[in-house]
C-alpha cells in the first residue's frame, strides 16, 4: 500500500492529485508544517530533508513531486498521466515539472511564505521575480488548454499548486494571465481534484 505524507494546501497536493487521478490504492498522513512536525525525528526518518511530500512505497520512500508523479504515472499506465511510449514527450513533461520544482516554486514560495515574511521593497521585488516566471508559463510553456497541449497529464495538478497560491494572493491577474486562469479553472473542475481538495479540507479558489 502506498502512503502519502502531505500538508494541506502545500505542494504535496500535486502528488495527492496524481494518486487520485491514477485511481491508486493509497492512504495519507497529514504532517503539520506550522507545528514543525516535518522536523520531528519520526518524520525525518521518513524524509531526512524535512519537507513534504514523501511517498512510502513497498520498495522505500520517494520524495519530490516530480519523481512521485513520474512513479505514479509509470505504475498506473492506464490513467495516462504521461505519454509513456514517447521518450521525447516524456522528457518535455519532465522538463516542465522540473521547472516548476526548481524555478516557479522557489520564486513564489519566497514571495509568499518566507519566514520571517518579506516586507516592503524586498517583498515587491520577490513578487516581480515570481510574476516573470508566471509570464514564462503563460506565454511560452503552456502547449494548449492542458500543459502538454490537448491531453491532461501529471503536470496539470502540479502547475495548479502555484496558480492556486497566486490567485489566493491576488496575483493571478486575468488580463495578464488569461491562459493560466483558464487552466486553473479547468484543473479545479476535475472530479479527482475536487476529491483531493475535499480530503485536504480545502475549496476551489
Ligand atoms: N521540490 C520539492 C519541494 C518540497 C517542499 O519545499 N515542500 C514544502 C511545502 S510546499 C515543505 O514541506 N516545507 C517545510 C519546511 O520547509 O519546513 C518537492 O516538489 O517535493
Amino acid at each position: 500500500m502506498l502512503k502519502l505524507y502531505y500538508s494541506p494546501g502545500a505542494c504535496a497536493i500535486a502528488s495527492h492529485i496524481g494518486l487520485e487521478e491514477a485511481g491508486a490504492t493509497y492512504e495519507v498522513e497529514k504532517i503539520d508544517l506550522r507545528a514543525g512536525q516535518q522536523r520531528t525525528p519520526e518524520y525525518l526518518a521518513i524524509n531526512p530533508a524535512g519537507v513534504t511530500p514523501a511517498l512510502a512505497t513497498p520498495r522505500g520512500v520517494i520524495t519530490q513531486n516530480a519523481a512521485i508523479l513520474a512513479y505514479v504515472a509509470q505504475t498506473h499506465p492506464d490513467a495516462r498521466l504521461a505519454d509513456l511510449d514517447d521518450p521525447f514527450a516524456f522528457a518535455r513533461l519532465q522538463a516542465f515539472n522540473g521547472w516548476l520544482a526548481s524555478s516557479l516554486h522557489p520564486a513564489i514560495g519566497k514571495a509568499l511564505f518566507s519566514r520571517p515574511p518579506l516586507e516592503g521593497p524586498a517583498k515587491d521585488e520577490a513578487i516581480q521575480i515570481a510574476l516573470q516566471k508566471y509570464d514564462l508559463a503563460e506565454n511560452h510553456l503552456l502547449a494548449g488548454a492542458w500543459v502538454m497541449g490537448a491531453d491532461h497529464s501529471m503536470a496539470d495538478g502540479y502547475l495548479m499548486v502555484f496558480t492556486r497560491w497566486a490567485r489566493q494572493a491576488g496575483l493571478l491577474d486575468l488580463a495578464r494571465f488569461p491562459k493560466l486562469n483558464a487552466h486553473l479553472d479547468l484543473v479545479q473542475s476535475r472530479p479527482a481534484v475536487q476529491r483531493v481538495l475535499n480530503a485536504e479540507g480545502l475549496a476551489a479558489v
Side-chain angles (χ1 to χ4, degrees), residues 10-12 33 38-39 50-53 63-66 101 105 158 165:
C11 63
L33 298 182
Q38 71 276 29
R39 292 187 291 275
V51 296
T52 57
T63 60
Q64 295 288 334
N65 278 298
H105 185 178
Y158 196 5
W165 291 352

Side-chain angles (χ1 to χ4, degrees), residues 107-108 110-112 114 117-132 169 171 176:
I108 191 63
K110 179 177 179 180
L112 299 181
S114 285
L118 296 182
E119 291 175 5
K123 176 155 189 174
D124 293 343
E125 187 191 18
I127 287 175
Q128 291 318 314
I129 290 170
L131 289 179
Q132 285 167 15
L171 297 174
R176 181 168 174 178

Side-chain angles (χ1 to χ4, degrees), residues 103-153:
S103 188
L104 187 60
H105 185 178
I108 191 63
K110 179 177 179 180
L112 299 181
F113 306 126
S114 285
R115 291 288 172 266
L118 296 182
E119 291 175 5
K123 176 155 189 174
D124 293 343
E125 187 191 18
I127 287 175
Q128 291 318 314
I129 290 170
L131 289 179
Q132 285 167 15
K133 296 181 188 294
Y134 286 87
D135 282 333
L136 184 67
E138 173 76 27
N139 298 316
H140 298 285
L141 303 185
L142 278 189
W146 303 106
V147 168
M148 293 303 288
D151 297 322
H152 169 264
S153 76

Side-chain angles (χ1 to χ4, degrees), residues 29 31-32 35-48 50:
E29 182 170 328
I31 301 299
D32 187 342
Q37 200 183 342
Q38 71 276 29
R39 292 187 291 275
T40 58
E42 292 78 14
Y43 188 69
L44 290 172
I46 295 158
N47 183 2

Side-chain angles (χ1 to χ4, degrees), residues 3 5 43 45-48 53-63 68:
K3 182 172 184 178
Y5 296 85
Y43 188 69
I46 295 158
N47 183 2
L55 183 72
T57 82
R59 292 180 59 186
V61 173
I62 303 171
T63 60
I68 293 170

Side-chain angles (χ1 to χ4, degrees), residues 141-203:
L141 303 185
L142 278 189
W146 303 106
V147 168
M148 293 303 288
D151 297 322
H152 169 264
S153 76
M154 61 183 180
D156 293 294
Y158 196 5
L159 174 60
M160 188 208 80
V161 175
F162 310 111
T163 47
R164 193 170 175 278
W165 291 352
R167 185 179 278 176
Q168 285 179 307
L171 297 174
L172 204 66
D173 180 65
L174 189 54
R176 181 168 174 178
F177 303 112
K179 293 183 196 165
L180 289 178
N181 273 282
H183 179 267
L184 174 55
D185 294 337
L186 189 60
V187 176
Q188 290 189 132
S189 74
R190 293 180 69 83
V193 174
Q194 289 168 4
R195 288 196 296 275
V196 169
L197 290 171
N198 284 340
E200 295 202 6
L202 307 169

